[in-house]
């Protein structure tokens, strides 16, 4: 397996006391595989994405990427050099693309940040950024624009370009379509499917929308109240859901 997440626990303190955001979560993604993680708002999806990407530490559990395992309770910067080198092959696409770019930085430079710390000369970084923009369907001229000059769909394409500019083995997409209208959602999902197919790239696609997951992913995990309650091929999850949380998600799709 390319990505193996095991026994992840994460709790937070609130005014009402401690609560478990993640409760013994285990999942995996194979090389070149597109796997969904679905659940309602507050189910723990984004917290898990942050732990997988090393943006947050866990209270317990491990994350293994490309054959190198690490304790998820250790900050990414303090993990072994072998793990950090392997983890460079994992990139993230966020829910709100505009806020993931600096308003004062042109898109070309923002995309080039995806390879800024890999010893690549500045000129080559920009050329890679331009090529990545073209690969996601944006003209090279967009490199001179600022994030606020782009539509939501264009900005998400630029965010995907930044994620793929370093040729990662896996991208983690945290609700990448939730802020977009239905037509643009379909365009972004189709783009992700094409990129994964062309590049042999794996994807962990996180969403509350079971229909999107069914159209893109081969299998999926359902998370509810911080725990994985069901997993399997998307067709089975959609056609014969077993867990109550999955049944509710399916019913919400049917009701639309």
């Amino acid at each position: 397996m390319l990505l193996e997440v095991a026994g992840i626990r994460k709790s937070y303190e609130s005014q009402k006391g401690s609560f478990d955001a993640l409760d013994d979560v285990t999942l995996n993604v194979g090389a070149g595989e597109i796997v969904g993680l679905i659940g309602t708002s507050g189910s723990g999806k984004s917290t898990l994405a942050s732990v997988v990407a090393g943006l947050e530490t866990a209270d317990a559990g491990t994350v293994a990427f490309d054959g190198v395992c690490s304790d998820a309770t250790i900050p990414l910067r303090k993990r072994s050099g072998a793990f950090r080198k392997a983890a460079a092959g994992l990139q993230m696409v966020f829910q709100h693309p505009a806020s993931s770019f600096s308003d004062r930085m042109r898109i070309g430079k923002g995309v080039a940040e995806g390879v800024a710390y890999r010893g690549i000369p500045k000129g080559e970084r920009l050329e890679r950024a331009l090529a990545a923009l073209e690969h996601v369907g944006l003209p090279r001229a967009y490199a001179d624009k600022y994030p606020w000059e782009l539509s939501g769909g264009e900005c998400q394409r630029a965010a995907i370009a930044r994620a793929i500019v370093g040729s990662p083995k896996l991208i983690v997409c945290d609700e990448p379509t939730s802020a977009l209208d239905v037509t643009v959602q379909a365009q972004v999902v189709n783009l992700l499917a094409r990129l994964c197919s062309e590049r042999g790239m794996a994807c962990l696609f996180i969403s509350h929308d079971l229909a999107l997951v069914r159209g893109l992913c081969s299998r999926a995990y359902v998370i509810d109240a911080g725990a994985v309650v069901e997993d399997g091929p998307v067709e089975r999850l959609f056609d014969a859901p077993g867990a109550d949380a999955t049944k509710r998600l399916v019913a919400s799709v049917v009701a639309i």
Side-chain angles (χ1 to χ4, degrees):
M1 284 292 171
L2 179 63
L3 173 69
E4 294 178 278
V5 177
I8 296 294
R9 296 182 182 275
K10 179 72 176 181
S11 62
Y12 293 104
E13 294 293 329
S14 71
Q15 292 181 341
K16 296 181 179 180
S18 178
F19 70 95
D20 294 328
L22 296 173
D23 183 12
D24 197 23
V25 173
T26 295
L27 61 77
N28 58 67
V29 180
E33 187 179 23
I34 304 178
V35 174
L37 177 66
I38 55 178
T40 57
S41 177
S43 60
K45 305 186 304 297
S46 292
T47 301
L48 183 60
S50 294
V51 170
V52 168
L55 302 177
E56 284 194 60
T57 58
D59 298 330
T62 60
V63 174
F65 187 73
D66 206 12
V68 185
C69 186
S70 178
D71 185 336
T73 68
I74 301 172
L76 182 60
R77 67 182 184 279
K78 294 184 179 180
R79 297 182 194 180
S80 70
F83 182 83
R84 285 185 281 111
K85 182 178 180 180
L90 185 157
Q91 294 295 319
M92 192 161 176
V93 178
F94 296 92
Q95 180 176 359
H96 299 291
S99 62
S100 71
F101 285 101
S102 169
D103 283 342
R104 295 173 292 180
M105 185 181 294
R106 296 182 191 273
I107 287 295
K109 187 174 181 180
V111 171
E113 282 193 321
V115 288
Y117 304 103
R118 300 192 185 182
I120 298 171
K122 186 175 181 179
E124 185 179 341
R125 293 202 300 266
L126 180 57
E127 185 56 36
R128 288 193 184 194
L130 294 173
L133 286 172
E134 287 187 323
H135 211 76
V136 300
L138 293 177
R140 288 190 168 211
Y142 273 60
D144 292 326
K145 293 180 178 288
Y146 288 96
W148 43 267
E149 295 182 287
L150 275 59
S151 68
E154 290 171 338
C155 202
Q156 192 59 285
R157 285 176 181 268
I160 294 170
R162 180 178 58 195
I164 68 169
V165 69
S167 300
K169 294 183 178 182
L170 169 72
I171 55 173
V172 177
C173 297
D174 183 16
E175 294 275 13
T177 62
S178 64
L180 308 175
D181 64 43
V182 175
T183 301
V184 180
Q185 282 183 0
Q187 293 172 355
V188 170
V189 167
N190 290 337
L191 171 63
L192 289 170
R194 176 175 64 81
L195 290 171
C196 288
S197 176
E198 291 177 352
R199 292 169 169 251
M201 184 173 63
C203 176
L204 178 60
F205 184 80
I206 299 169
S207 179
H208 65 278
D209 191 325
L210 190 60
L212 287 179
V213 170
R214 189 182 194 186
L216 179 66
C217 305
S218 58
R219 61 186 180 91
Y221 293 83
V222 180
I223 188 169
D224 183 52
V228 171
V229 295
E230 190 170 11
D231 67 277
V234 290
E235 292 81 4
R236 182 182 64 76
L237 292 177
F238 195 96
D239 297 332
D244 289 342
T246 314
K247 292 176 181 178
R248 290 193 296 269
L249 287 168
V250 171
S252 70
V253 175
V254 174
I256 293 176

